[in-house]
Amino acid sequence: MPETPTISHTLFRGTLNVSVVLIGLASGIAQLTGIPLRFAQWAFTAIFLACLLYFVVRLWQLAFVVKIRELRSDLQDATRLLTLQQAGHQHYLDAIQRISDREKPLFLETLEVLVTIGADDDSDRIVEKRITTPEPLVTHRTMRPIVPTDTDRITRLDEISFKTLRPVGGTITPLPLEQSRLLRVWLIFDPAMTTPTEWQVEYRPRGLWGPLRERGWDQLVWEDRLPTASGTPSAFTRFQVTFSFPDSDQPPSVKERQGYGRFAEPERDPRGRWEVVWLDEKPAGRRYVWDLTQAVGGR
């Protein structure tokens, strides 16, 4: 099997071939037409410069090809390394999720959720306020923010402006565990909770209530599946949701399909927005489905 010529052989062989061809053509033409010696010298000088230019161009071209090959090889190596790192990172995330799914909450908790239906996609907002009572301590936990699920688009923490607040006694570090249609967040408390602690998360799920604004009705689902280590069906001791609607001539309505909890009548807040408060004082690990209706276009 013949050896593949090196780049240097290719460079000099190509330049030599071009030089021989040009010189041969020029000599033949000079002999046939009887060109004076002075013009022949100029012609050979031009041929020499053309060969030199060809050599420089080919040298640059081959250097460019070599650099492209090196970059392509580096890119392949980096891609393989990144793939291995991503696979290892995903193993860690999967392990954390499995541990979290098996671990029963060592706490009791009151939860108040403020659901703000904006006048447009950018003003949709969720605030979850919690008071957690550790039994005996809480170092971390996971949660799923309420995000739109009617598309296949991946949702990221930075896209919903996810924020945490622990007013007294430490910080909360949020880390994404699952970034898909169903976003999942790992919250690390530093220091660990050992006494009743107030904290909250806030985020802006852009377009969450777009269907409600367009057609006048939508629904919200909440899964309360946090059986505690003590055997109670829910870690929640009190669960309240306040639905805040834009100003309109007609009051909105909210109904829970199974009749869980109780509602207050719609009232206007100081800003003129409608508020509907729902409360379950005895949560029991239920699946809540709220049906929301409002006037389309603020009428």
Side-chain angles (χ1 to χ4, degrees):
M1 187 174 180
E3 296 182 358
T4 303
T6 63
I7 293 177
S8 59
H9 288 167
T10 302
L11 174 63
F12 288 107
R13 183 184 299 172
T15 304
L16 181 61
N17 291 339
V18 171
S19 301
V20 170
V21 170
L22 290 178
I23 292 174
L25 289 175
S27 299
I29 294 173
Q31 292 177 2
L32 292 174
T33 58
I35 297 176
L37 179 61
R38 185 176 180 183
F39 288 102
Q41 292 176 342
W42 288 353
F44 281 109
T45 301
I47 291 172
F48 172 77
L49 293 176
C51 292
L52 180 61
L53 179 61
Y54 174 82
F55 177 80
V56 172
V57 171
R58 286 286 292 167
L59 181 63
W60 177 86
Q61 181 184 16
L62 292 175
F64 180 76
V65 171
V66 170
K67 187 63 177 178
I68 290 296
R69 289 176 181 175
E70 292 177 352
L71 292 176
R72 185 176 298 167
S73 177
D74 292 343
L75 179 59
Q76 291 175 347
D77 292 340
T79 300
R80 285 194 295 268
L81 180 59
L82 179 60
T83 301
L84 291 175
Q85 290 177 340
Q86 288 177 336
H89 180 65
Q90 189 60 47
H91 286 320
Y92 281 106
L93 296 181
D94 293 342
I96 293 171
Q97 291 196 59
R98 289 195 300 271
I99 292 172
S100 176
D101 290 339
R102 290 196 298 262
E103 192 174 67
K104 293 184 178 181
L106 299 175
F107 59 84
L108 296 176
E109 191 168 78
T110 65
L111 171 61
E112 295 184 10
V113 182
L114 172 60
V115 178
T116 300
I117 296 101
D120 53 40
D121 287 350
D122 292 328
S123 52
D124 291 337
R125 177 170 168 261
I126 304 288
V127 179
E128 301 182 21
K129 298 181 179 180
R130 303 171 188 260
I131 299 178
T132 301
T133 302
E135 295 182 341
L137 84 164
V138 176
T139 59
H140 67 94
R141 62 178 298 178
T142 61
M143 64 167 292
R144 289 192 182 275
I146 303 171
V147 296
T149 58
D150 55 349
T151 68
D152 292 330
R153 188 174 64 86
I154 295 177
T155 303
R156 302 174 60 87
L157 279 184
D158 54 352
E159 291 179 351
I160 62 173
S161 302
F162 189 88
K163 299 177 182 177
T164 61
L165 176 63
R166 186 176 175 180
V168 179
T171 61
I172 306 172
T173 302
L175 297 174
L177 274 183
E178 179 184 347
Q179 298 189 109
S180 61
R181 292 176 62 249
L182 297 175
L183 180 63
R184 192 171 190 178
V185 186
W186 188 27
L187 302 175
I188 299 95
F189 301 97
D190 186 24
M193 298 182 189
T194 56
T195 59
T197 303
E198 180 181 349
W199 58 282
Q200 73 177 48
V201 298
E202 175 185 339
Y203 48 96
R204 295 181 177 274
R206 186 180 185 278
L208 175 66
W209 297 111
L212 178 61
R213 284 183 288 270
E214 294 174 2
R215 65 194 181 198
W217 61 271
D218 204 351
Q219 69 177 26
L220 175 64
V221 179
W222 186 289
E223 298 279 357
D224 175 19
R225 295 181 178 178
L226 291 174
T228 63
S230 61
T232 56
S234 174
F236 292 150
T237 58
R238 186 175 184 273
F239 184 19
Q240 176 178 310
V241 183
T242 300
F243 298 90
S244 176
F245 294 83
D247 182 23
S248 64
D249 297 337
Q250 302 177 21
S253 69
V254 183
K255 303 294 182 182
E256 205 291 313
R257 290 189 183 179
Q258 302 300 323
Y260 298 137
R262 55 185 175 86
F263 287 94
E265 292 296 323
E267 294 183 354
R268 289 186 184 272
D269 66 9
R271 299 170 298 171
R273 295 177 58 88
W274 289 101
E275 280 192 354
V276 178
V277 179
W278 172 91
L279 174 63
D280 189 347
E281 294 181 336
K282 294 182 179 181
R286 299 167 176 143
R287 182 177 189 268
Y288 301 98
V289 181
W290 297 281
D291 293 305
L292 290 71
T293 60
Q294 72 169 16
V296 177
R299 298 294 182 180

